[in-house]
């Protein structure tokens, strides 16, 4: 919190009127955080974000909405901030989150970058992992620098497999990443 306060001060956001909310050029540092109703992690997360930001002088106002209404609002671009969940699928393809024009998918902030588009195309076209790695490394550096999204956490995942199922090699992105290699020995089949 102390470092956050210092960074906000450096950026010109100060609480000059003493109301607990920082302002700059007369504008309060205030925003609405949309999330969907019915997901305790999101609802509680929005409250925690509000409380933590409030301690450094940021006015975050959670708005918990029915899922359909929240999705419509976010996909239309009529929001200031959105607390959602996203996870990669079996084949890694960050296009739904970061491709220009993927606004009806998960690029809710309407992020558009010619460099990101070029790296996405190169990375997705390269099937050799060793050759694709520097492309994806460059893409990740760009996303960190541009910060079109803020990833708050990645949940732990526990995977349990019965001893008779062989060849299972779970990956951080998917439990089923090598499902085509799973097998059961004839003696273990029922």
């Amino acid at each position: 919190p102390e470092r956050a306060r210092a960074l906000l001060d450096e950026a010109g956001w100060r609480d000059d009127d003493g109301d607990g909310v920082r302002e700059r050029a007369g504008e309060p540092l205030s925003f609405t955080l949309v999330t969907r109703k019915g997901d305790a992690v999101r609802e509680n997360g929005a409250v925690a974000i509000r409380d933590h930001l409030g301690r450094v002088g940021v006015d975050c106002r959670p708005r918990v909405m029915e899922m359909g209404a929240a999705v419509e609002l976010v996909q239309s671009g009529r929001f200031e901030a959105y607390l959602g969940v996203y996870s990669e699928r079996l084949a890694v393809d960050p296009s739904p989150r970061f491709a220009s024009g993927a606004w009806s998918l998960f690029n809710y902030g309407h992020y558009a970058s010619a460099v990101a588009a070029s790296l996405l195309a190169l990375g997705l076209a390269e099937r050799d992992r060793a050759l694709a790695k520097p492309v994806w490394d460059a893409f990740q550096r760009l996303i960190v620098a541009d910060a079109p999204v803020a990833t708050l956490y990645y949940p732990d995942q526990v995977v349990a497999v019965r001893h008779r199922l062989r060849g299972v090699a779970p990956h951080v992105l998917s439990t089923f990443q090598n499902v085509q290699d799973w097998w059961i020995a004839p003696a273990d089949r029922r």
Side-chain angles (χ1 to χ4, degrees):
E2 288 305 317
R3 181 71 178 132
R5 288 184 193 99
L7 288 170
L8 289 166
D9 286 341
E10 287 174 28
W13 291 101
R14 293 184 178 79
D15 182 13
D16 293 327
D17 61 9
D19 68 352
V21 177
R22 294 169 178 270
E23 45 291 309
R24 182 171 70 185
E27 289 294 319
L29 184 49
S30 178
F31 67 95
T32 300
L33 175 64
V34 173
T35 196
R36 75 174 177 87
K37 184 183 277 188
D39 181 335
V41 172
R42 292 186 209 197
E43 290 183 37
N44 293 333
V47 170
I49 290 167
R50 178 200 64 201
D51 293 349
H52 286 283
L53 290 176
R55 291 185 194 126
V56 297
V58 178
D59 177 33
C60 171
R61 297 176 316 277
R63 182 176 177 195
V64 180
M65 304 174 68
E66 293 296 332
M67 184 171 154
V71 168
E72 190 279 323
L73 187 74
V74 171
Q75 286 183 334
S76 71
R78 297 182 332 236
F79 71 103
E80 294 173 295
Y82 173 67
L83 178 59
V85 174
Y86 185 84
S87 61
E88 283 295 341
R89 304 297 179 241
L90 285 174
V92 178
D93 180 359
S95 300
R97 291 181 73 194
F98 302 113
S100 304
W103 305 319
S104 65
L105 299 172
F106 302 105
N107 185 355
Y108 299 138
H110 293 205
Y111 175 67
S113 163
V115 176
S118 175
L119 291 169
L120 276 169
L122 288 170
L124 292 170
E126 183 55 64
R127 296 294 170 221
D128 182 311
R129 285 185 176 193
L131 295 174
K133 185 177 182 333
V135 175
W136 290 122
D137 289 348
F139 179 78
Q140 289 177 356
R141 284 191 298 275
L142 177 68
I143 294 302
V144 168
D146 287 354
V149 299
T151 301
L152 302 179
Y153 67 92
Y154 192 89
D156 288 335
Q157 182 176 0
V158 177
V159 177
V161 179
R162 291 186 57 96
H163 70 280
R164 61 191 204 102
L165 184 59
R166 307 204 185 157
V168 178
H171 185 272
V172 67
L173 296 177
S174 174
T175 303
F176 306 103
Q177 67 101 16
N178 75 324
V179 70
Q180 71 280 359
D181 299 328
W182 297 5
W183 61 283
I184 298 175
D188 292 334
R189 293 179 187 159
R190 296 182 184 163

